[in-house]
Amino acid sequence: MFKKLSRMTTGTLTAVALLGTAMLTSGDASAEKVLRFSHTDNPGGSRQAAAEVFAEKVSEYTQGRYKVRIYPAGQLANDPKAIEQLQLGGVDFTVSATGSYATHQPSLNLTAMPFLVDTYEQGWEFYDNSAWMKAEFAKLPEKGFRVLSTWEAGFRSFTTSDPLASPKDAEGKKMRVYPNDMIRWTMEAIGFQTVVMPITDVYLSIQQGVVNGQENPVDTIKSLRFYEVAPNVTLTRHVYSPLPLTVSEQTWQNFSPEDQAAVQKAANEASAFSRKLVRDSVNGQIEEMKKAGATVSVPEIGPFRDSVQSVYEKAKGIYGDEVEKVLADTAEIRKKLPAN
């Protein structure tokens, strides 16, 4: 009788174990998978706002199969490291200036040539419909990541510790740049000495006098509060600098076709949100910085345009005919969508 009870107990335990395993397996299959989104904007910035829209839409359009967890303010990595993590599969999404990706696709440096476009609408046309731009983005999956959509940051301008009325005021001053040849050449052509450093180090470096200023779109200047330590905001708008949203190619290939379509839809809607938010917020952000004590000015742009002519020639020496393709595309776009 004892042996019979033992056999029954063993059989019962086995059945329970198998049932538990089945339940766990079933639960795992339906459980949401967490995807990691790294960016360097502060929690109150436009990138964070667009990332929250993206996360919400991914969850909605995948019926909860995926959850996007956002890590702002460089918690996981600065911009170059986040892109490296995309390639390794350690991060699933990031959003950064186009020039940040040029380390892996050097010809993307050409998007940072100065004064290519004058309006947001011209910039959107270039990034969405330029044949050259589409061909460049199509090369990125073999690098380990792909562009889903382009978010907005705006046009790059300066914040400096001293006034910057003309290129003459740049002489002898140190300007922070990120690792991008075109931006560096432009800054040096204007007259600055350049210092490469991560954006997460910039505020303290200006405060300590390591550099005299930095250049970024107004949205970034406001979000990261650079105007507090470099209170002269000079609206040169020298480079259009949007933010491609990218996904790790490893992550993308692990999605089903249905989930790829869902994530792409979420990315497109987040892009539309980002573009409207940034374009509509710039004037208000400028006024807020003024109220906080910043001096905001619009200089005569002619001397700045003249000072950077050497950049185009330097670019041709490295990228050859690609430079003419970009200049031709953007010239046609400016003609098609003239600034008011």
Side-chain angles (χ1 to χ4, degrees), residues 64-82:
R65 289 188 295 277
Y66 289 94
K67 176 182 179 180
V68 176
R69 183 170 295 158
I70 306 164
Y71 296 86
Q75 291 176 23
L76 295 184
N78 61 31
D79 289 313
K81 292 296 183 184

Side-chain angles (χ1 to χ4, degrees), residues 153-168:
F155 290 82
R156 303 182 81 88
S157 290
F158 292 102
T159 49
T160 51
S161 51
D162 299 309
L164 181 66
S166 75
K168 290 183 179 180

Side-chain angles (χ1 to χ4, degrees), residues 95-113:
V95 60
S96 185
T98 315
S100 297
Y101 301 100
T103 301
H104 310 281
Q105 181 69 32
S107 48
L108 285 175
N109 272 314
L110 297 178
T111 64
M113 285 192 293

Side-chain angles (χ1 to χ4, degrees), residues 57-95:
K57 295 299 183 182
V58 167
S59 179
E60 176 185 348
Y61 296 149
T62 64
Q63 290 79 48
R65 289 188 295 277
Y66 289 94
K67 176 182 179 180
V68 176
R69 183 170 295 158
I70 306 164
Y71 296 86
Q75 291 176 23
L76 295 184
N78 61 31
D79 289 313
K81 292 296 183 184
I83 295 168
E84 290 178 10
Q85 285 298 309
L86 284 182
Q87 296 174 302
L88 298 171
V91 163
D92 300 291
F93 303 101
T94 196
V95 60

Side-chain angles (χ1 to χ4, degrees), residues 182-248:
M182 203 65 60
I183 293 292
R184 180 171 57 81
W185 295 343
T186 298
M187 296 302 102
E188 291 171 354
I190 290 172
F192 288 107
Q193 299 173 31
T194 56
V195 179
V196 176
M197 68 173 62
I199 197 169
T200 46
D201 295 345
V202 173
Y203 187 101
L204 186 60
S205 295
I206 296 175
Q207 193 173 48
Q208 294 178 339
V210 176
V211 292
N212 302 108
Q214 63 84 51
E215 50 84 52
N216 258 301
V218 166
D219 184 75
T220 304
I221 292 169
K222 176 65 169 57
S223 173
L224 298 183
R225 309 176 76 89
F226 292 141
Y227 61 92
E228 294 180 345
V229 289
N232 295 282
V233 181
T234 307
L235 301 176
T236 49
R237 293 165 56 93
H238 49 273
V239 171
Y240 178 59
S241 186
L243 306 164
L245 167 68
T246 47
V247 59
S248 165

Side-chain angles (χ1 to χ4, degrees), residues 117-338:
V117 296
D118 302 315
T119 68
Y120 286 105
E121 289 75 15
Q122 292 172 3
W124 298 342
E125 180 70 13
F126 178 51
Y127 271 78
D128 293 347
N129 296 316
S130 160
W132 182 86
M133 193 80 255
K134 287 182 177 181
E136 290 300 298
F137 282 168
K139 299 172 186 176
L140 294 179
E142 67 185 29
K143 309 293 184 181
F145 52 89
R146 68 173 57 215
V147 173
L148 293 175
S149 65
T150 303
W151 294 7
E152 192 56 83
F155 290 82
R156 303 182 81 88
S157 290
F158 292 102
T159 49
T160 51
S161 51
D162 299 309
L164 181 66
S166 75
K168 290 183 179 180
D169 295 325
E171 294 176 6
K173 303 296 175 59
K174 293 181 179 179
M175 175 60 52
R176 174 268 173 179
V177 296
Y178 66 96
N180 178 272
D181 286 342
M182 203 65 60
I183 293 292
R184 180 171 57 81
W185 295 343
T186 298
M187 296 302 102
E188 291 171 354
I190 290 172
F192 288 107
Q193 299 173 31
T194 56
V195 179
V196 176
M197 68 173 62
I199 197 169
T200 46
D201 295 345
V202 173
Y203 187 101
L204 186 60
S205 295
I206 296 175
Q207 193 173 48
Q208 294 178 339
V210 176
V211 292
N212 302 108
Q214 63 84 51
E215 50 84 52
N216 258 301
V218 166
D219 184 75
T220 304
I221 292 169
K222 176 65 169 57
S223 173
L224 298 183
R225 309 176 76 89
F226 292 141
Y227 61 92
E228 294 180 345
V229 289
N232 295 282
V233 181
T234 307
L235 301 176
T236 49
R237 293 165 56 93
H238 49 273
V239 171
Y240 178 59
S241 186
L243 306 164
L245 167 68
T246 47
V247 59
S248 165
E249 188 64 12
Q250 292 182 37
T251 303
W252 182 256
Q253 294 303 330
N254 284 333
F255 290 144
S256 68
E258 293 77 15
D259 287 335
Q260 286 180 351
V263 171
Q264 183 63 65
K265 183 179 180 182
N268 292 344
E269 292 184 10
S271 171
F273 171 87
S274 171
R275 285 175 169 179
K276 185 177 189 307
L277 174 64
V278 172
R279 181 190 60 187
D280 294 351
S281 299
V282 168
N283 290 338
Q285 290 171 332
I286 289 172
E287 290 305 312
E288 287 180 36
M289 289 191 290
K290 286 181 179 179
K291 290 178 182 177
T295 300
V296 180
S297 62
V298 180
E300 184 182 349
I301 298 299
F304 286 94
R305 287 184 183 271
D306 292 342
S307 71
V308 300
Q309 292 305 305
S310 63
V311 175
Y312 308 112
E313 294 306 313
K314 189 174 287 190
K316 289 176 184 177
I318 294 177
Y319 300 102
D321 292 342
E322 294 299 302
V323 175
E324 292 299 338
K325 291 178 184 177
V326 175
L327 294 178
D329 272 9
T330 52
E332 183 63 28
I333 288 168
R334 291 196 306 272
K335 182 179 178 181
K336 175 183 175 183
L337 300 170

